[in-house]
Amino acid sequence: MVPSSPSSTDSSGSSPPYLRPPPPMSSKRFRLRPVQAFLILSIIAIITLPFLHQNRETVSSYLSSKYVVTDVSSQHIPQASGGLPGHLNIPLTLEARLSYLLSKPALEQWEAELPNRHGCPMFTFNRNEYFAHNGKEDQWRNVGTTDIRRYRSKMVDYLRGVEREGGKLVWDKSMEAHVPVSERRGIIFTGGEGKTLARMKISLQMLRHVLHTTLPIEVYHFPDELQEAAARAELVDNFNVKLVQIDSKRSGDKSWLIKNEAFLTTNFTEFIYLDSDNIPLIDPRTLFDGVEYQQSGSVFWGDLNKDHPDNAIFRIVGKTCTDEHWPAETGQIIFDKRGNNGLNLAILHLSNHMMQNPDMYGFLSYGDKDTFRYSFYALGLPYQQAPKMFASAGGYQTQNGESSLNFCGHSMIQWGLTPPHAKHDPSYHPPPAFLHTILAKHRNGLQPSKLFTHIRRPRLDGISEPLLVRTLYEWTGDCFAITLKGPDGLPESENSMMDGQGVIMQHMGDLLGSGEVWEELKALSEVFVKINQQ
């Protein structure tokens, strides 16, 4: 027997509580009776069923989602816009798409107002300040259900007329059978007189002698343009272009129609279009490899305005207005006629119809920049947006050329596309691809040394970036202004909103690097200013 320790007992001779053995366990066990189990399950059901009912769509979506195979590393690539939902099961054929267009309900303005204004809320962007929207509300409201059916019928009739005259609405391989492979991709310009021609030479100089592109280039012009042999020879000999005459000029038009006709006339299956006032900053050939272009066979670059929810065009094409996309500016386009199972060719024809009928579409659109997108909507076909919103380019001078402490942007920097190697890199930002001098060409007396010196852009400028609502894109009449709503979003800034958004300035030289493109841009600034003064 082991002797007890003197400290193992208290003065009463009994063991302290912490050394006493635990009481013997009861031999009885808790058993859940059927009645008790039923009551417990009933209580759980009463508590959880309302939750499941109210959130049934979320729960269903969660249970059916395949999260394991979702490629979250490529979610920075914008999704294509304009297509029909897959659950409708509308075949990707022209007949099916036209039949579906004709079958859509024709709505009065009051019937479509609520969903359109929900999808395109007026408080989000300054839609009423866009000059192309001003004073159109009454005209939009007066488009009734009979008018909507007439619009749709005329779309179908026009396309049927193209077929009757021997034209093709759906691309097929026979259309390029006679075209050498090296000539199936190319660049298209339009215009051939005065300042337009002079600015085009700047772009051609950059393409051929700085960027050294080998893509074939076609220049489309009207019969009264490029009539002098010397002018034609200069373009052909210095820039290796092909001149093509278009015979459909109409008096009083702004000549936008020539774009559509050029796109339908060209033998290029894939083309990049450039306005004459658009200066390329990269070899456009690289854009054909862009992830966005490969997704849908077309890419359009964003403009500064947003759609107006009351525009009757949404009732005509049978679509609800949404802010998932930005309206496009068509100073640059990349397009593949083979896209959407060959139906991209029908898009060009339908856009041509809209351009040929300004009495019908003039108050619904602002030229060709809208008709391409509207045609995609009418046929329920997807098109792609460029991944980044444009930056404002200019310098520290007023629109009259006086030095200023305030930045004034008069041109657009449009960014490139996402190369395949960056598909899974959300931090990738494309380089500047185009300098569209959309306002600069209307300014006289500008200082060449301050013409293209800086850019202003949102810090977070993805085309689908929700925080773009904090960066107001606005045409003030003098400049392209990009203004931050509220304080900067960086954590260390005063009163930071902590969302990372802000507006930043960059020097053009830092953006382009110290290479040949930046040096050429500085040199051609002198030429650009002289053209404006002519």
Side-chain angles (χ1 to χ4, degrees):
M1 180 179 291
V2 179
S4 299
S5 169
S7 60
S8 62
T9 59
D10 56 21
S11 58
S12 63
S14 61
S15 300
Y18 57 84
L19 288 180
R20 293 173 188 165
M25 295 184 62
S26 172
S27 59
K28 296 182 179 179
R29 295 181 180 180
F30 176 75
R31 294 179 180 178
L32 185 65
R33 297 177 180 178
V35 174
Q36 294 173 317
F38 175 79
L39 290 174
I40 292 173
L41 291 174
S42 298
I43 294 171
I44 293 174
I46 292 172
I47 294 173
T48 59
L49 278 178
F51 171 79
L52 291 175
H53 175 74
Q54 293 175 2
N55 297 272
R56 59 189 182 278
E57 293 181 358
T58 303
V59 173
S60 175
S61 174
Y62 175 81
L63 294 176
S64 64
S65 297
K66 299 178 180 179
Y67 291 100
V68 175
V69 298
T70 299
D71 187 4
V72 295
S73 65
S74 64
Q75 288 182 349
H76 61 291
I77 306 296
Q79 296 297 311
S81 303
L84 295 178
H87 72 269
L88 295 176
N89 295 319
I90 307 298
L92 197 55
T93 65
L94 185 58
E95 290 298 328
R97 297 301 164 125
L98 291 178
S99 296
Y100 185 66
L101 173 66
L102 294 175
S103 71
K104 291 180 179 179
L107 303 178
E108 295 285 1
Q109 177 77 358
W110 66 268
E111 294 178 286
E113 183 177 49
L114 184 59
N116 282 335
R117 289 198 170 218
H118 176 76
C120 294
M122 295 297 293
F123 62 82
T124 307
F125 296 92
N126 289 347
R127 304 174 200 274
N128 279 327
E129 295 185 8
Y130 179 47
F131 66 90
H133 290 161
N134 291 340
K136 303 292 177 60
E137 287 86 350
D138 287 341
Q139 291 176 281
W140 296 335
R141 191 177 300 109
N142 290 333
V143 175
T145 57
T146 300
D147 300 307
I148 290 174
R149 296 187 183 94
R150 179 172 60 90
Y151 270 95
R152 295 174 183 173
S153 295
K154 283 188 174 292
M155 290 182 196
V156 177
D157 291 344
Y158 176 81
L159 295 178
R160 296 291 180 243
V162 171
E163 287 183 317
R164 286 194 299 269
E165 294 175 5
K168 287 192 173 183
L169 299 174
V170 181
W171 188 93
D172 62 66
K173 290 185 177 180
S174 68
M175 300 181 69
E176 66 176 13
H178 64 289
V179 182
V181 174
S182 61
E183 298 178 15
R184 295 176 184 176
R185 283 180 169 177
I187 300 172
I188 294 175
F189 283 92
T190 58
E193 64 178 353
K195 295 180 181 180
T196 297
L197 178 58
R199 295 189 191 99
M200 186 193 302
K201 291 178 184 177
I202 290 177
S203 297
L204 292 172
Q205 165 70 18
M206 185 70 83
L207 281 169
R208 287 300 194 212
H209 304 304
V210 178
L211 300 172
H212 307 291
T213 188
T214 58
L215 286 171
I217 300 176
E218 295 178 343
V219 175
Y220 287 77
H221 64 92
F222 289 123
D224 58 348
E225 300 171 337
L226 286 174
Q227 295 303 298
E228 297 182 5
R232 298 174 64 87
E234 179 186 7
L235 292 176
V236 174
D237 297 340
N238 291 355
F239 305 115
N240 186 25
V241 304
K242 177 183 177 182
L243 302 176
V244 185
Q245 181 173 299
I246 293 290
D247 298 325
S248 61
K249 186 174 184 179
R250 296 198 302 256
S251 61
D253 284 348
K254 202 174 178 180
S255 302
W256 284 321
L257 186 61
I258 193 174
K259 286 187 186 180
N260 304 70
E261 296 211 19
F263 300 165
L264 290 169
T265 301
T266 183
N267 283 328
F268 296 149
T269 300
E270 302 174 82
F271 61 83
I272 295 170
Y273 169 79
L274 293 179
D275 271 353
S276 59
D277 62 344
N278 200 337
I279 303 170
L281 302 174
I282 61 171
D283 184 350
R285 179 186 290 275
T286 62
L287 298 177
F288 288 115
D289 297 325
V291 174
E292 294 83 4
Y293 174 68
Q294 293 294 328
Q295 283 183 344
S296 66
S298 64
V299 177
F300 294 82
W301 277 258
D303 204 353
L304 61 84
N305 65 287
K306 277 287 193 177
D307 284 319
H308 198 292
D310 297 340
N311 192 335
I313 191 63
F314 295 108
R315 292 186 286 130
I316 292 170
V317 300
K319 175 180 170 60
T320 300
C321 184
T322 69
D323 268 347
E324 68 181 1
H325 57 265
W326 290 78
E329 63 98 1
T330 51
Q332 59 283 307
I333 300 172
I334 180 169
F335 200 88
D336 185 353
K337 295 177 182 177
R338 302 171 300 179
N340 286 308
N341 202 29
L343 294 182
N344 272 8
L345 181 58
I347 294 295
L348 299 181
H349 282 288
L350 195 51
S351 175
N352 202 41
H353 160 65
M354 295 180 185
M355 289 302 300
Q356 288 179 355
N357 292 276
D359 57 322
M360 293 180 63
Y361 291 93
F363 70 100
L364 300 170
S365 64
Y366 185 59
D368 63 279
K369 69 183 288 294
D370 289 325
T371 60
F372 295 110
R373 192 162 52 97
Y374 294 168
S375 298
F376 276 105
Y377 293 159
L379 297 183
L381 298 174
Y383 69 93
Q384 188 60 279
Q385 300 179 99
K388 302 296 180 181
M389 193 55 180
F390 77 86
S392 178
Y396 286 87
Q397 60 178 321
T398 67
Q399 63 169 336
N400 298 318
E402 300 173 359
S403 296
S404 173
L405 296 177
N406 298 318
F407 169 78
C408 181
H410 47 58
S411 302
M412 293 176 165
I413 284 286
Q414 294 286 15
W415 309 93
L417 305 181
T418 307
H421 70 79
K423 180 178 181 180
H424 305 290
D425 181 6
S427 66
Y428 176 81
H429 196 290
F434 304 104
L435 177 61
H436 193 186
T437 61
I438 191 167
L439 292 182
K441 66 182 179 183
H442 298 298
R443 303 289 186 250
N444 293 317
L446 295 177
Q447 302 178 50
S449 62
K450 297 182 178 181
L451 188 63
F452 304 122
T453 58
H454 292 80
I455 74 161
R456 186 173 176 86
R457 71 175 182 89
R459 185 180 294 116
L460 304 176
D461 60 352
I463 196 71
S464 302
E465 172 57 58
L467 292 176
L468 280 180
V469 299
R470 286 230 294 129
T471 42
L472 175 64
Y473 279 76
E474 184 180 17
W475 176 40
T476 64
D478 297 335
C479 314
F480 283 135
I482 300 177
T483 308
L484 183 66
K485 297 179 180 179
D488 196 287
L490 288 182
E492 64 270 17
S493 63
E494 185 179 0
N495 298 321
S496 173
M497 296 188 74
M498 302 296 289
D499 60 4
Q501 183 59 299
V503 173
I504 60 177
M505 297 288 298
Q506 289 180 274
H507 191 274
M508 188 74 79
D510 296 335
L511 187 67
L512 298 177
S514 58
E516 190 176 3
V517 174
W518 171 232
E519 294 302 320
E520 182 67 19
L521 189 60
K522 289 188 292 183
L524 63 80
S525 296
E526 297 277 354
V527 179
F528 189 94
V529 169
K530 288 180 180 179
I531 293 173
N532 286 6
Q533 294 171 344
Q534 293 175 2

